[in-house]
């Protein structure tokens, strides 16, 4: 009996969709490429920009991911994956990198400026995967970041070189396809055997079939994706049948001149052959799935792809067949199974869809589905599943981009672009994507000026986000236009939102009296139309804060109490975090330090769930001030810790925007804390503690503020407890 020559244990084949930026688990076993891995490891250790090049399907991404995973220990600040392939607009490349690196910025600064500032002093590796369609943008981004950040390495994959200074290329060739001998298998044959066992668990390379497998792998030029596609046919065909049919396909396309077939044509030919071996319905589903960008779930596939030849109830079985044939990847996520087409196969399906003239229907259904995702997300945002809604919307982010791009490029879709971009306000604001949200809204608003409800919503959302970014010069005219349009058209809902957000601008601008008037008016409109959601609760919190800033704690706390009651009734968490901050601030004004600290910490914790930088930094600044308060008659405040938290807050304030830093009302606690620390610390202590805080990244700063950090947790020497006189007597800030 012939033995199994592939006695190498298979690696785990599980794949989970990673957190943005984190390296994914490998889908299947990694076969061969040891020489290339060693060469790539050497390059990453010696140079700062490496690009792995080669034709589609040759395994560039797999090699780069494996090399990045092995290099993790050399980069204390992490190895981060940026999937470039779904990004079609070069302007959004920087936003994609920010999202992948989990960096949030609330200002209107270019993403490149934010990246260079927030990554300064870090040692990390960024993998830009799939750059060929944005070569110029990727080259410019990589060069700019590398010039500004000495601790950065960039690993890119692309079918073409980036052609930027300092780039080192590793050109990836297909797998070796030499002769098959007992105990010695070429890597291409080993790969075929590994993938074959996923289809036929009993499959083995034996004396009887070794020659046929070797011939098949040579016919496929050792291109990994081609080998995997061929292995996927073993459920229906033998190795010899696959080889014969494939050879017929080659002769048909090249007129019999097998030697004239270049390797890139081999890949296209193999995909085309695999396509022909699919059933008519499988081909149709493959083509329609090409409208998805990134991953998608079964429900989305059923809605987008069903109809005109495919029944909705058949999509699952057809999808399972495409997974079995290695056309579609299956991934596990926190919300169940998701699917994804490899870029090369997505391109082929898209070409076939366009050639058949059937792309408009699935594109429109794709647009409709993700408009539904946004609409349902907006509804679900006001309820106990806010954090889950943010995460689900994040999974749909690349497809939401694709839907927005379709609406902006397709004549007659402009109003839907306004509606989709405006409806996603909860994600842009609540999950830290203000810059990208502004990008889509500005484009949509410039295309259609018809005074519709969709435009009114886009205007107030733009004004809201511009206010949060500190771009009041853009916020005020947008909100005023929305207010005028709402009054002219009788749109009471838009009027309420416009007035509400004008109140926000006044509050930031240290006009609490004017802000209170606008919030009162907005809440009257909200009550009149029966509106109740997170925005309404934020208006209550903001009105209470306006009263607090005027020195009227009693009125402020009445509004905080009402907002808190509604938050708890409806399970709302995002607005609740702000209400807790306001209550903490009010308690501090009243001299109640202990409850103020408890409330402020809970506010920071909840805001961190949503990556809400403004809420986080307000809470940290207040906690810093609370550290200066005496803990008892003979226990002075911890001015060193207060100053560390101030340093951490300063780093976050830079990502929030200047209006808040220039506001006496919002920035008052920071200034009060600094005055107390300066009065009780030496100049050296004052500066050293602050410098320690500025070295804390967002997660470390939050951990420190919540009390789980300490001197040893900071990235650098932290001054120990100081012996110092008691802090000066508190002088609560009541700004007017």
């Amino acid at each position: 009996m012939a033995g199994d020559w592939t006695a190498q244990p298979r690696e785990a084949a599980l794949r989970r969709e990673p957190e943005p930026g984190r390296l994914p688990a490998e889908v299947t076993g990694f076969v061969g490429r040891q020489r290339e891995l060693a060469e790539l490891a050497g390059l990453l250790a010696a140079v700062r920009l490496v690009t792995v090049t080669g034709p589609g399907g040759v395994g560039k991404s797999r090699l780069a991911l494996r090399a990045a995973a092995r290099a993790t220990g050399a980069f204390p600040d992490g190895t981060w994956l940026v999937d470039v392939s779904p990004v079609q607009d070069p302007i959004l490349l920087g936003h994609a990198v920010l999202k992948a690196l989990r960096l949030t910025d609330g200002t209107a600064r270019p993403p490149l400026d934010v990246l260079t500032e927030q990554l300064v002093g870090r040692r990390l590796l960024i993998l830009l995967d799939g750059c060929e369609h944005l070569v110029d943008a990727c080259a410019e981004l990589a060069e700019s970041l590398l010039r500004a950040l000495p601790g950065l390495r960039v690993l890119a994959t692309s079918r073409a070189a980036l052609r930027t200074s300092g780039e080192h290329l590793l050109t990836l060739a297909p797998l070796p396809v030499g002769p098959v001998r007992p105990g010695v298998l070429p890597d291409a044959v080993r790969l075929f055997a590994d993938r074959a066992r996923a289809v036929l668990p009993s499959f083995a390379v034996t004396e009887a079939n070794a020659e046929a497998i070797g011939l098949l792998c040579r016919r496929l030029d050792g291109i990994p994706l081609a080998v995997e596609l061929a292995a996927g046919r073993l459920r229906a065909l033998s190795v010899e049948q696959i080889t014969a049919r494939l050879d017929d396909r080659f002769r048909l396309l090249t007129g019999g001149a097998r030697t004239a077939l270049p390797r890139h044509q081999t890949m296209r030919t193999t995909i085309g052959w695999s396509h022909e071996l699919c059933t008519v319905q499988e081909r149709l589903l493959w083509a329609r799935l090409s409208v998805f960008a990134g991953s998608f779930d079964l429900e989305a596939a059923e809605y987008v792809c069903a109809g005109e030849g495919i029944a909705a109830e058949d999509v699952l079985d057809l999808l399972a067949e495409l997974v079995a044939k290695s056309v579609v990847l299956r991934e596990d996520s926190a919300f169940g199974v998701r699917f994804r087409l490899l870029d090369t196969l997505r391109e082929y399906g898209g070409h076939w869809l366009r050639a058949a003239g059937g792309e408009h229907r699935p594109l429109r259904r794709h647009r409709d589905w993700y408009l539904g995702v946004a609409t349902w997300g907006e509804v679900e945002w006001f309820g106990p599943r806010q954090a889950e809604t943010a995460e689900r919307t994040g999974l749909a982010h690349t497809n939401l981009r694709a839907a927005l791009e379709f609406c902006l490029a397709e004549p007659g879709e402009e109003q839907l672009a306004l509606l989709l971009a405006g409806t996603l306000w909860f994600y842009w604001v609540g999950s830290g994507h203000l810059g990208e949200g502004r990008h889509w809204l500005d484009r949509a608003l410039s295309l259609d000026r018809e005074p519709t409800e969709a435009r009114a919503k886009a205007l107030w959302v733009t004004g809201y986000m511009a206010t949060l970014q500190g771009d009041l010069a853009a916020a005020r005219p947008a909100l005023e236009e929305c207010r005028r349009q709402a009054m002219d058209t009788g749109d009471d809902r838009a009027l309420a939102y416009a007035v509400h957000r004008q109140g926000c601008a006044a509050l930031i601008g240290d006009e609490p009296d004017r802000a209170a008037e606008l919030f009162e008016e907005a809440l009257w409109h909200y009550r009149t139309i029966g509106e109740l959601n997170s925005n309404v609760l934020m208006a209550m919190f903001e009105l209470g804060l306006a009263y607090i800033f005027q020195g009227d704690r009693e009125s402020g706390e009445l509004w905080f109490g009402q907002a808190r009651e509604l938050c708890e009734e409806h399970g709302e968490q995002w607005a609740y975090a702000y209400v807790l901050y306001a209550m903490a601030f009010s308690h501090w004004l009243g001299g109640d330090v202990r409850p103020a600290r408890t409330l402020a910490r809970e506010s920071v914790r909840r805001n961190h769930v949503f990556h809400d930088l403004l809420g986080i930094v307000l809470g940290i600044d207040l906690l810093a001030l609370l550290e200066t308060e005496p803990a008892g008659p003979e226990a002075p405040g911890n001015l060193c810790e207060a100053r560390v938290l101030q340093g951490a807050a300063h780093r976050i304030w830079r990502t929030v925007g200047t209006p808040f830093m220039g506001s006496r009302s919002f920035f008052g606690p920071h200034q009060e804390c600094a005055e107390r620390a300066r009065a009780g610390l030496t100049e050296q202590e004052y500066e050293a503690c602050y410098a320690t805080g500025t070295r804390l990244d967002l997660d470390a700063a939050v951990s420190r503020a919540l009390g789980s950090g300490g001197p040893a947790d900071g990235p650098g020497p932290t001054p120990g407890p100081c012996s110092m006189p008691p802090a000066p007597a508190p002088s609560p800030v009541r700004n007017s």
Side-chain angles (χ1 to χ4, degrees), residues 40 180 351 448 459 596 618 626 654:
L40 187 50
V180 183
H351 175 77
D448 196 329
L459 283 168
L618 288 172
L626 291 167
R654 290 275 299 159

Side-chain angles (χ1 to χ4, degrees), residues 315-475:
V315 170
L316 174 58
D317 289 339
L318 294 171
L319 196 54
E321 286 297 316
L322 292 178
V323 170
K325 292 170 181 173
S326 299
V327 173
V328 174
L329 296 179
R330 178 191 185 276
E331 301 174 341
D332 293 320
S333 79
F335 300 103
V337 174
R338 298 179 68 81
F339 303 93
R340 182 193 302 268
L341 278 170
L342 288 175
D343 289 341
T344 308
L345 301 178
R346 180 173 179 258
E347 289 169 8
Y348 187 91
H351 175 77
W352 196 84
L353 185 64
R354 289 187 295 274
E359 65 177 328
H360 284 287
R361 183 177 183 275
L363 281 170
R364 285 196 170 91
R365 290 181 72 83
H366 177 274
R367 184 252 354 255
D368 291 343
W369 177 263
Y370 286 98
L371 179 58
V373 168
T375 302
W376 187 244
E378 184 182 35
V379 172
E380 288 285 279
W381 188 253
F382 184 55
R385 290 191 293 271
Q386 272 182 314
E388 178 184 325
T389 298
E391 198 171 345
R392 284 184 181 276
T393 310
L395 287 176
H397 194 144
T398 54
N399 279 294
L400 289 165
R401 282 181 183 149
L404 283 162
E405 198 64 65
F406 171 76
C407 292
L408 291 168
E410 188 77 5
E413 299 281 335
E414 298 85 359
Q415 286 293 319
L416 286 173
L418 288 166
L419 180 60
L420 178 54
T423 299
L424 283 168
W425 69 266
F426 68 93
Y427 182 62
W428 308 136
V429 175
S431 295
H433 300 291
L434 295 176
E436 182 173 344
R438 283 284 303 280
H439 167 80
W440 293 115
L441 285 160
D442 289 347
R443 286 181 62 187
L445 286 166
S446 68
L447 289 179
D448 196 329
R449 299 189 176 278
E450 183 182 354
T452 60
E453 289 186 12
R455 180 173 176 82
K457 185 171 190 175
L459 283 168
W460 75 253
V461 173
T462 295
Y464 179 24
M465 294 199 299
T467 298
L468 293 175
Q469 287 184 305
D471 188 4
L472 296 180

Side-chain angles (χ1 to χ4, degrees), residues 11-23:
E11 299 178 46
L14 267 180
R15 179 187 181 105
R16 278 188 68 86
E17 181 155 306
E19 292 182 59
R22 293 302 189 189
L23 301 182

